[in-house]
Amino acid sequence: MADIVVTYEEVMTWEKSSYLFIDVRDESSVAYGKIPGAKWILPDEIDEKMDEIPKDKKLVLYCMKGISSEEVAEKLRALGYEAYSLYGGYYKFLAYEMLKDEQNEKEKAEQIEISIRKKFHKVLFSRFAKAINEYELVKENDHIAVCISGGKDSMLMAKLFQELKRHNKFHFELTFLVMDPGYSPENRKIIEQNAKLMNIPVTIFESDIFDAVDTIEKSPCYLCARMRRGHLYKKAQELGCNKIALGHHYDDVIETILMGMLYGAQMQTMMPKLHSTNFEGMELIRPLYLIREDDIKHWRDYNDLHFLQCACHFTDTCSSCRDDGTSNSKRLEIKKLIADLKKVNPFVEANIFKSVENVNLSTIIAYKEHGITHHFLERYDNIEKNDTE
């Protein structure tokens, strides 16, 4: 049905009050950004939310690539709505925004940097600097590969490193590293255009990771994440770097703690830095460790920036893929759990984070160190009574 598909450029010629964008992607995709003013409704919620869908407007539905949105548009048309599917989906919207930003990229780049120095200095740069100092993430003469996936977290990390470099308290070098694991030309262009817009001089190298995991049925995202990490270490080392920096933030940390307990039956956290076991002399650092995800989103939206979520070709939305290889569905469950707990206890997030700083080995049944399990019975008879009561 050709008449059911409409381009973003065509929609922009319509009277603004005559149409409504409806986002039919999953929750994790929407969290990475959506078309301004769009209403979010999942396809399987359409029937129960009919009273929220206006019949006096043209409805423009979009998914990631314009595939599943066409089916929903057909369903709404059968119910009497004037519904359309956005050609190319959210990706085409991103391409349109990239083209628009090219026309005023100098002013936009300055706005982004000023926002970090002023409006978001306390919640972004100050916490970035605090993590670097508290966990000793950056040292004199380091050469850091700032790994950019194309998402909001890694792009912000690159800008924060540039700001840190501007202060230049001691010498260190930066290489802004982008790996292309098999992106489509459209997705690669989005990353390149954002880097250009944000004045980030990226070094791009290619790999065949997407092709390598294309035939894997079980946990392809986990394998993809592991392979990405290895390729990044290898390329960074070739470029003379001694560290790679990844964009995991505070919320990733507390979600990892709970996921380990509830799904992995273990007490662990996402460490602020790690020595590589396979690449001698290399370290992994996480300088966004103390930065909240909501503050990153606020910075993104304030500057009207639009980033990739995942450009993998396995699914329309790739909702299961993450940089650390964990399932997004499980993370969403944990996010909702934390949000519910926060309604009762506003300090719950900080308490989860601090819990791995306040481990009392005297009250632990068993723990592992260097791969060896230690049980409390090993030292039970040597513990004073008042230590156990």
Side-chain angles (χ1 to χ4, degrees):
M1 294 179 63
D3 62 338
I4 203 171
V5 178
V6 64
T7 66
Y8 188 79
E9 290 84 354
E10 184 178 350
V11 175
M12 291 298 98
T13 66
W14 296 350
E15 180 67 35
K16 193 170 181 64
S17 61
S18 69
Y19 65 90
L20 173 68
F21 281 112
I22 296 182
D23 193 322
V24 295
R25 297 173 300 158
D26 60 40
E27 185 174 354
S28 63
S29 299
V30 173
Y32 278 80
K34 62 186 181 74
I35 296 177
K39 185 176 184 62
W40 175 49
I41 303 179
L42 291 171
D44 57 5
E45 293 180 345
I46 292 290
D47 290 335
E48 61 187 77
K49 293 189 175 181
M50 295 299 292
D51 57 336
E52 299 179 24
I53 305 175
K55 273 204 167 184
D56 60 343
K57 290 181 182 289
K58 299 175 183 177
L59 306 177
V60 183
L61 294 92
Y62 69 92
C63 55
M64 191 62 78
K65 299 178 182 177
I67 299 173
S68 57
S69 58
E70 191 167 338
E71 297 177 9
V72 183
E74 288 177 352
K75 177 179 180 179
L76 287 173
R77 282 199 170 195
L79 295 171
Y81 291 88
E82 186 179 355
Y84 301 87
S85 174
L86 185 64
Y87 172 74
Y90 189 65
Y91 280 157
K92 285 296 182 183
F93 162 73
L94 289 178
Y96 181 89
E97 289 296 306
M98 293 293 102
L99 184 63
K100 186 175 71 175
D101 286 338
E102 282 182 13
Q103 300 169 1
N104 62 339
E105 60 184 31
K106 184 178 179 181
E107 293 81 359
K108 189 77 175 274
E110 290 177 354
Q111 172 192 318
I112 292 167
E113 293 185 358
I114 290 172
S115 73
I116 290 174
R117 293 169 191 164
K118 294 186 176 181
K119 184 175 179 64
F120 297 98
H121 185 274
K122 184 176 181 180
V123 296
L124 294 182
F125 185 75
S126 291
R127 292 178 183 175
F128 177 79
K130 182 180 179 181
I132 284 174
N133 292 328
E134 188 168 323
Y135 302 117
E136 300 180 356
L137 303 183
V138 179
K139 297 184 178 180
E140 191 169 3
N141 296 320
D142 274 346
H143 186 174
I144 303 165
V146 182
C147 300
I148 299 174
S149 66
K152 67 185 191 314
D153 307 326
S154 60
M155 284 290 195
L156 171 63
M157 178 175 64
K159 293 306 297 179
L160 291 173
F161 263 118
Q162 285 183 326
E163 184 67 12
L164 185 70
K165 185 71 173 174
R166 194 174 70 90
H167 291 274
N168 208 30
K169 291 186 177 180
F170 53 80
H171 174 74
F172 65 92
E173 295 182 49
L174 299 172
T175 295
F176 300 99
L177 194 59
V178 176
M179 180 181 63
D180 181 345
Y183 293 139
S184 67
E186 295 82 5
N187 291 330
R188 175 156 169 167
K189 184 177 180 182
I190 289 172
I191 295 176
E192 292 173 336
Q193 287 294 102
N194 266 328
K196 182 181 177 184
L197 173 67
M198 298 175 69
N199 198 24
I200 302 170
V202 294
T203 297
I204 302 178
F205 73 101
E206 298 176 355
S207 72
D208 59 355
I209 291 177
F210 282 175
D211 288 337
V213 300
D214 202 9
T215 58
I216 304 298
E217 295 183 4
K218 186 177 181 181
S219 303
C221 297
Y222 174 78
L223 178 60
C224 180
R226 297 285 294 181
M227 293 179 68
R228 282 173 184 248
R229 186 79 55 86
H231 278 71
L232 288 169
Y233 266 128
K234 186 174 185 293
K235 187 62 178 181
Q237 197 169 52
E238 289 175 2
L239 294 172
C241 301
N242 64 310
K243 293 179 179 178
I244 65 170
L246 301 184
H248 299 121
H249 47 66
Y250 185 99
D251 296 71
D252 289 324
V253 177
I254 62 176
E255 289 160 15
T256 296
I257 294 170
L258 279 190
M259 286 183 72
M261 294 172 63
L262 301 181
Y263 297 116
Q266 55 188 335
M267 187 68 183
Q268 63 176 16
T269 189
M270 182 180 281
M271 298 297 287
K273 64 180 181 179
L274 293 166
H275 287 291
S276 172
T277 55
N278 298 316
F279 295 86
E280 187 175 353
M282 295 291 292
E283 283 186 77
L284 179 156
I285 62 173
R286 295 183 169 107
L288 302 189
Y289 205 77
L290 301 178
I291 294 179
R292 298 306 309 267
E293 185 177 22
D294 281 346
D295 292 323
I296 299 175
K297 291 178 179 178
H298 188 191
W299 167 81
R300 175 200 65 194
D301 296 341
Y302 176 83
N303 289 293
D304 193 26
L305 295 169
H306 307 279
F307 300 113
L308 282 179
Q309 174 195 359
C310 172
C312 157
H313 56 248
F314 297 120
T315 64
D316 182 29
T317 61
C318 192
S319 61
S320 61
C321 186
R322 282 184 50 87
D323 284 344
D324 55 7
T326 57
S327 165
N328 244 332
S329 61
K330 291 289 187 290
R331 286 215 171 245
L332 284 174
E333 289 178 24
I334 293 298
K335 279 181 181 290
K336 291 175 182 177
L337 174 60
I338 293 174
D340 288 340
L341 292 172
K342 190 177 179 181
K343 294 174 184 176
V344 180
N345 176 8
F347 306 107
V348 69
E349 293 159 313
N351 288 343
I352 295 170
F353 187 90
K354 291 176 182 176
S355 68
V356 292
E357 296 179 346
N358 297 317
V359 177
N360 185 347
L361 293 183
S362 297
T363 62
I364 296 294
I365 299 295
Y367 67 94
K368 287 183 178 179
E369 187 174 25
H370 305 306
I372 300 173
T373 300
H374 299 276
H375 199 274
F376 86 102
L377 288 178
E378 295 173 6
R379 50 187 166 74
Y380 176 75
D381 291 333
N382 295 323
I383 299 176
E384 296 291 336
K385 286 186 177 181
N386 58 7
D387 289 337
T388 61
E389 294 178 350

